Amino acid sequence: TSKVTCTTCGTCSVMEEPFEELLLYFPEDHHTSDKDCTVEDLIAHHCEIENISDYECNHCNGRMLAKKVLTITTCPPILCIVIGRKKQNGRSIRSSVQFPVSGFNITEDALQYNLVGTIHHKPNGPDHGHYTSICQSQRLQSRSWFNYNDHEVSFSHFTNKRNDKVLKAHTKTATILFYELQTQRHVAKIQSF
């Protein structure tokens, strides 16, 4: 939901903006220093107040300064988060972005998401690199992760078994995260009978 408020008269316009993927960018200081953060930090940056200097206010009948605020009010059953890792100079931001494996909630409601897959990019220069994917087993009882690298599929040591956190080596290369609404697999299993 996008909310734009004229700073002169206080008139507010609200617009629902559907999205297919949530594209998150790093704050400016990550372009000079690859410091670690969380996906929640990137979402907070995405939802920061933005100044619009040349906003056309219908109430004031002119161009005014306005403030724009984004909030994530609802999400789809499959949530796709894209992490924009390109620096202004064309190189990649190598910050570790920690992201939850289960119980992820980014809206004000009680929707919980579980991670089902990730796409990773390992750069080999400004315009080159290699993509791989890590996905969780489709068996409900299994907590195994598999690495898909071209024609090779292998088990992946993706999470720390003690605390179920994603290992740092994977948080430095993750570019796309796929989350599934917590009840989705159970609904799909029931519907398949």
Side-chain angles (χ1 to χ4, degrees), residues 65-82:
L65 175 67
K67 304 269 184 193
K68 179 179 178 180
V69 178
L70 291 175
T71 53
I72 301 169
T73 51
T74 187
C75 290
I78 303 295
L79 175 61
C80 176
I81 297 175
V82 178

Side-chain angles (χ1 to χ4, degrees), residues 20-22 24 38-40 42-43 78-83 85 97-100 104 114-120 134 158 166 170-171 173-180:
E20 293 181 5
E21 69 280 330
L22 183 58
L24 302 177
T38 65
V39 73
E40 290 89 349
L42 297 181
I43 291 170
I78 303 295
L79 175 61
C80 176
I81 297 175
V82 178
I83 300 172
R85 289 190 174 269
V97 179
Q98 189 64 49
F99 46 92
F104 184 45
N114 293 334
L115 187 70
V116 293
T118 57
I119 295 178
H120 300 263
I134 299 175
F158 186 64
V166 178
H170 300 300
T171 64
T173 59
T175 55
I176 303 177
L177 313 174
F178 294 98
Y179 283 92
E180 183 177 62

Side-chain angles (χ1 to χ4, degrees), residues 161-190:
K161 298 298 180 193
R162 290 187 324 239
N163 59 16
D164 207 28
K165 284 192 171 189
V166 178
L167 298 176
K168 193 165 188 168
H170 300 300
T171 64
K172 287 177 150 302
T173 59
T175 55
I176 303 177
L177 313 174
F178 294 98
Y179 283 92
E180 183 177 62
L181 192 59
Q182 208 166 53
T183 58
Q184 279 300 109
R185 282 197 191 184
H186 300 291
V187 169
K189 188 175 180 185
I190 290 168

Side-chain angles (χ1 to χ4, degrees), residues 71-138:
T71 53
I72 301 169
T73 51
T74 187
C75 290
I78 303 295
L79 175 61
C80 176
I81 297 175
V82 178
I83 300 172
R85 289 190 174 269
K86 278 275 193 208
K87 288 185 180 183
Q88 294 157 342
N89 64 7
R91 296 194 175 279
S92 291
I93 295 174
R94 296 188 180 256
S95 298
S96 168
V97 179
Q98 189 64 49
F99 46 92
V101 173
S102 60
F104 184 45
N105 181 4
I106 63 171
T107 61
E108 295 174 356
D109 54 27
L111 292 179
Q112 300 283 310
Y113 286 86
N114 293 334
L115 187 70
V116 293
T118 57
I119 295 178
H120 300 263
H121 182 252
K122 294 183 183 170
N124 295 334
D127 296 321
H128 304 295
H130 183 68
Y131 286 94
T132 60
S133 180
I134 299 175
C135 300
Q136 191 173 42
S137 169
Q138 291 296 299

Side-chain angles (χ1 to χ4, degrees), residues 8-19:
T8 304
C9 67
T11 300
C12 180
S13 78
V14 178
M15 189 166 73
E16 299 292 323
E17 297 177 8
F19 64 92

